[in-house]
Amino acid sequence: MLVSGTCMIEDNHPDILSLRPERLSEYVGQAETVETLKIAIQAAGMRQEPLDHILFHGPPGLGKTTLAHIIANETGGSLTVTSGPALEKGGDLIGILTHLSKGDALFIDEIHRIPKTVEEFLYPAMEDYAVDFVFDKGAHARSHRIRLEHFCLIGATTRVGLLSAPLRDRFGIFRSLDFYNEADLVKITKRSARLLEADIHENAASELAMRSRGTPRIVNRLLKRVRDYALVKANGVITHEVVQAALLLEGVDECGLTPLDRRYIKTIIDFYKGGPVGIEAIAATLQEETDTLVDVVEPYLLKIGMILRTSAGRRASLPAYQHLGYPCQKKFIQPGL
């Protein structure tokens, strides 16, 4: 399959590509999304039409890009890969669209970051399979329409609320990807270990899955670090003890929290008395970008109940105090407070 476009990171990293499933039958987790895609792909094939445009949203690392590659494989088309920030001008998008063949897929990562002027070229492209552009200016301005081949647009975003309503409403399939459960992550860990030719014990795979924040990308990244540690320190065998030692070195604790996660929680407790506090204040104290905290740190902490997001700001919860060894405040213990 040809992968082209303005962003072709995968071509240069065959090791990363080798860990991606290539078919829906190989994909682990997200059962409802996979079933929806199977039905849509089969129905489109029976009608001999391209797929409806698809939008995936959810935290990073849950398989949005992987699903785009699988869809292209299942439909037999080529996949063109780009991202919202890479499409700076309307001409960039028009150049990509006019090179698509019938049945091809265009994958736009971080689609919420497409400039507004570029986004407007997508509206007729998605609805009418055509793009309109204007020659000259003023009294001599002329409009010209270019017909496009029928293609499938696949968008991915971590911030679906930032998508404009006209763009969001033009997607026929709209799926949210959620964090994975431990059983699915164990399956992914074992599959990746086989592909990497790593010898891993059952309880070691479970420990890795438990510490991977419900995210396949993280479990694969940690597996590679543990594989390196095992190769140097344990004759290449990944045991439960090896996983614990390797992840201690990486700074990943038993709940999957990283040093940045712990600094985030400690900032709320130590500097702001447990909250509530605004995200901008936390970012300024940590000297981190607000988007990094909102997109990378907070989703998992909210999922496991370590922090609470209220109208007044972020607050640390009782489990956060307990996990980091802080004495529990009275307001957590007294009923009704």
Side-chain angles (χ1 to χ4, degrees), residues 54-219:
I54 304 168
L55 180 65
F56 296 123
H57 71 93
L62 296 184
K64 297 184 290 292
T65 304
T66 297
L67 283 171
H69 284 84
I70 289 175
I71 289 167
N73 285 334
E74 294 280 1
T75 58
S78 295
L79 179 67
T80 300
V81 179
T82 188
S83 65
L87 300 172
E88 298 178 351
K89 303 185 298 294
D92 298 334
L93 179 62
I94 292 173
I96 294 173
L97 291 173
T98 53
H99 282 85
L100 295 176
S101 301
K102 185 176 181 180
D104 285 353
L106 170 61
F107 176 63
I108 304 180
D109 199 9
E110 296 183 275
I111 194 169
H112 63 275
R113 294 178 62 186
I114 292 181
K116 185 65 177 176
T117 54
V118 178
E119 181 183 308
E120 290 174 352
F121 283 100
L122 274 178
Y123 300 160
M126 294 174 71
E127 278 194 329
D128 305 324
Y129 298 102
V131 286
D132 301 307
F133 61 94
V134 178
F135 290 105
D136 300 327
K137 294 181 180 179
H140 301 287
R142 293 174 294 129
S143 177
H144 182 70
R145 168 164 284 207
I146 298 179
R147 290 292 176 184
L148 303 173
E149 296 288 351
H150 287 203
F151 70 98
C152 171
L153 175 64
I154 306 171
T157 177
T158 56
R159 310 278 294 275
V160 71
L162 297 183
L163 278 181
S164 66
L167 179 59
R168 188 173 61 247
D169 294 343
R170 282 172 168 80
F171 286 96
I173 301 174
F174 188 93
R175 300 301 304 185
S176 174
L177 304 188
D178 200 359
F179 290 106
Y180 284 61
N181 59 43
E182 189 175 322
D184 285 339
L185 288 170
V186 168
K187 294 178 184 177
I188 292 170
T189 303
K190 290 179 178 178
R191 177 183 179 276
S192 297
R194 286 196 303 271
L195 294 172
L196 294 171
E197 298 181 353
D199 184 6
I200 186 168
H201 290 185
E202 180 76 27
N203 56 357
S206 297
E207 183 72 14
L208 263 175
M210 186 176 64
R211 298 195 188 201
S212 65
R213 304 167 65 91
T215 307
R217 180 184 295 165
I218 293 177
V219 82

Side-chain angles (χ1 to χ4, degrees), residues 205-282:
S206 297
E207 183 72 14
L208 263 175
M210 186 176 64
R211 298 195 188 201
S212 65
R213 304 167 65 91
T215 307
R217 180 184 295 165
I218 293 177
V219 82
N220 285 332
R221 176 175 63 80
L222 294 180
L223 174 62
K224 291 179 182 179
R225 300 289 67 77
V226 171
R227 178 187 61 163
D228 291 346
Y229 186 94
L231 189 63
V232 174
K233 300 281 190 178
N235 298 319
V237 179
I238 302 175
T239 63
H240 186 262
E241 292 74 20
V242 167
V243 171
Q244 290 180 319
L247 296 188
L248 178 64
L249 193 62
E250 289 290 310
V252 178
D253 65 23
E254 62 273 13
C255 286
L257 303 191
T258 65
L260 178 57
D261 297 322
R262 293 191 291 273
R263 283 173 53 218
Y264 176 96
I265 297 172
K266 287 178 179 179
T267 296
I268 297 177
I269 297 174
D270 293 338
F271 286 83
Y272 301 103
K273 299 180 181 180
V277 56
I279 186 63
E280 292 81 7
I282 300 172

